[in-house]
Amino acid sequence: MYFTDRTDAGRRLAARLGHLAALDVTVLGLPRGGVPVAAEVADALGAPLDICVVRKLGVPYRPEVAMGAIGEGGVRVLNDQVLRDARVAPGDLAAVEERERAELERRARRYRGGRRPVPLDGRTVLVVDDGLATGATALAACRVVRARGAARIVFAVPVAPRGWTTRLGGEADETVCVHTPDGFAAVGQFYEDFSATSDEEVVARLAHSRAVHGPVVRESDVRLPLPEGGGTLAGRLAVPEDAHGVVLFAHGSGSGRHSPRNRAVAGALNRAGLGTLLFDLLTEDEAADRRLVFDTPMLAGRLARATEWLAAEPAARGLPLGWFGASTGAAAALWAAAGPVGTAGGGTGARPAAIVSRGGRPDLAHERLARVDAPTLLVVGGRDALVLDLNRKAQAMLRCENRLEVVPGATHLFEEPGALEEVAELAASWFTGHFGRRTAASDVSTGR
């Protein structure tokens, strides 16, 4: 007897996995018994928790003996030796597989509640169970994870028989086990309490992880096409599960999708359940021409076109969209929000549900400010005197719902401790509040 229960086993397993704490790791528990163990590991590593649903295929007359396993995505693993020794007929195998496939699908629906699996592309994935006996479900789990794009797989269990790693067939890049005893008969013999884990506990553990780490965010590099062979704009799209809107970022002069300030704000919006699109307003070739950085009408057209493109993307379809503009990017956002911008940048006048300007230059769009009809939040640093004056004058010209927020002690780049965090909090509140007021059908329209 090594472990009091699965919680104790998870904590002791976590002590062997500290080297993973510095990595961007995702922890997957094998339902049901592996989830409480995985939850303790995930908490210790500060990592998100999800599940990898697999089912053992038991010999018909001895269901405790695994003749194989199945997993999500159609993964199927068979033990030919067991099938021969047990003389399992093809029809009997098919019947067991059909029954277990139905149970696998039921559990996936029950545990995820309609949410999609956590994205694993290019990530280090730590797969955890409460123990390993035959290795069939472990092998199936590793193959499921690999098929979903994991770059590196670590398989970890509290207890397994000696020589257990060979049962994974090289599918895991690293293996970790607390105890590998002789005389191994079953996983349960090494637990004082090995009572069954309920569906309710699995759901509760997953809900706790989501509450601690925020929603799962799906990220992808994208290319936004410009008209008439004008090239493409590079971007990074991040959409949390159950997102209630997406915010496009219009960067300022000399900046782009890699701006650390915009990325910090985007991360905060993602944690608040908002999607983000960070993209370059200029192509790589255009970026060398400094004159284009201040071509507000052209940049406004690019922003409008990007909004139209995003509205048609499956990840954002049906969601309200907003604009976050910084410095000269804020001028482009206000220009575009005043109505159709023509064809200079390819846009036809897409409009947002709400706008946030950070240290913006609204003076560059002064002739169109009175026509802006999207609710607009102007955020300026208290020590950015010139820009603060420009924003006060702009606010007097706006006829839409608007507010000016001054962050005390902040300069133009909001580099002071806590300044950017306050910007992100103000932006999240503004977008969330206004996304809830309008339907997607009216959030983005063209040519109004």
Side-chain angles (χ1 to χ4, degrees):
M1 187 107 35
Y2 294 117
F3 310 110
T4 304
D5 53 19
R6 291 183 177 88
T7 297
D8 174 45
R11 290 171 180 167
R12 292 168 66 179
L13 180 59
R16 300 288 186 94
L17 296 166
H19 63 287
L20 299 177
L23 302 179
D24 186 17
V25 64
T26 297
V27 179
L28 301 183
L30 272 57
R32 290 182 286 210
V35 174
V37 181
E40 296 299 323
V41 172
D43 284 348
L45 297 179
L49 173 69
D50 196 16
I51 52 172
C52 179
V53 186
V54 293
R55 291 290 295 170
K56 179 178 72 175
L57 301 177
V59 172
Y61 56 89
R62 291 187 61 193
E64 73 279 5
V65 178
M67 58 182 176
I70 56 174
E72 297 177 280
V75 168
R76 182 176 187 253
V77 174
L78 297 179
N79 188 319
D80 293 331
Q81 185 64 50
V82 172
L83 288 169
R84 285 194 298 270
D85 292 346
R87 298 181 180 179
V88 178
D92 292 335
L93 172 61
V96 172
E97 185 171 353
E98 181 179 4
R99 181 178 67 249
E100 295 301 337
R101 180 69 64 184
E103 177 63 12
L104 183 149
E105 293 172 354
R106 182 199 71 80
R107 291 193 178 193
R109 290 192 301 270
R110 174 75 174 90
Y111 301 152
R112 292 203 175 96
R115 285 176 294 274
R116 291 183 295 175
V118 170
L120 304 180
D121 290 345
R123 300 177 68 88
T124 295
V125 179
L126 172 58
V127 183
V128 177
D129 203 358
D130 55 8
L132 181 144
T134 66
T137 54
L139 180 57
C142 289
R143 289 182 178 174
V144 168
V145 171
R146 188 73 74 187
R148 288 174 53 194
R152 179 174 174 79
I153 300 174
V154 181
F155 190 88
V157 288
V159 63
R162 291 190 180 277
W164 69 282
T165 58
T166 61
R167 304 183 186 192
L168 296 180
E171 294 285 345
D173 300 293
E174 180 183 350
T175 55
V176 178
C177 185
V178 179
H179 292 291
T180 54
D182 293 321
F184 189 106
V187 172
Q189 76 184 96
F190 303 101
Y191 286 81
E192 182 177 338
D193 177 4
F194 198 64
S195 54
T197 301
S198 67
D199 284 349
E200 291 71 23
E201 181 176 356
V202 172
V203 172
R205 295 276 191 167
L206 294 172
H208 170 75
S209 177
R210 288 194 300 274
V212 170
H213 297 284
V216 174
V217 180
R218 297 175 180 277
E219 299 187 53
S220 59
D221 291 316
V222 297
R223 285 276 174 178
L224 290 64
L226 294 175
E228 299 177 0
T232 60
L233 304 177
R236 182 73 173 172
L237 178 63
V239 182
E241 61 178 358
D242 302 324
H244 41 277
V246 184
V247 178
L248 294 85
F249 280 67
H251 59 78
S253 59
S255 185
R257 72 187 187 281
H258 299 302
S259 162
R261 286 173 291 278
N262 281 349
R263 289 174 65 185
V265 174
L269 295 184
N270 293 158
R271 291 189 290 275
L274 297 171
T276 55
L277 174 60
L278 292 162
F279 72 103
D280 296 335
L281 289 169
L282 300 174
T283 67
E284 286 85 346
D285 292 337
E286 293 171 338
D289 187 347
R290 292 295 297 171
R291 294 172 300 176
L292 297 178
V293 170
F294 297 96
D295 188 342
T296 302
M298 187 271 286
L299 298 178
R302 295 283 173 87
L303 177 59
R305 182 170 185 82
T307 306
E308 294 161 4
W309 173 87
L310 181 59
E313 282 295 293
R317 190 173 297 144
L319 294 176
L321 306 178
W323 293 343
F324 182 99
S327 189
T328 55
L334 292 169
W335 187 289
V341 295
T343 59
T348 57
R351 299 188 184 183
I355 298 172
V356 174
S357 163
R358 172 181 67 81
R361 289 289 308 277
D363 55 302
L364 298 177
H366 65 93
E367 66 263 40
R368 293 170 65 89
L369 291 177
R371 293 162 53 192
V372 174
D373 65 358
T376 299
L377 174 66
L378 306 171
V379 185
V380 186
R383 293 169 57 194
D384 191 6
L386 175 60
V387 173
L388 179 55
D389 181 60
L390 293 173
N391 276 260
R392 283 173 172 155
K393 291 177 180 177
Q395 186 184 25
M397 300 174 66
L398 290 170
R399 297 292 178 265
C400 60
E401 177 189 351
N402 65 83
R403 194 168 83 227
L404 173 64
E405 289 282 356
V406 179
V407 178
T411 53
H412 186 61
L413 297 180
F414 295 87
E415 295 176 308
E416 294 72 23
L420 203 57
E421 289 80 359
E422 185 168 348
V423 171
E425 185 176 342
L426 289 167
S429 177
W430 188 260
F431 286 124
T432 300
H434 289 88
F435 283 172
R437 298 184 192 177
R438 300 171 65 178
T439 64
S442 61
D443 287 340
V444 181
S445 61
T446 59
R448 288 196 299 182

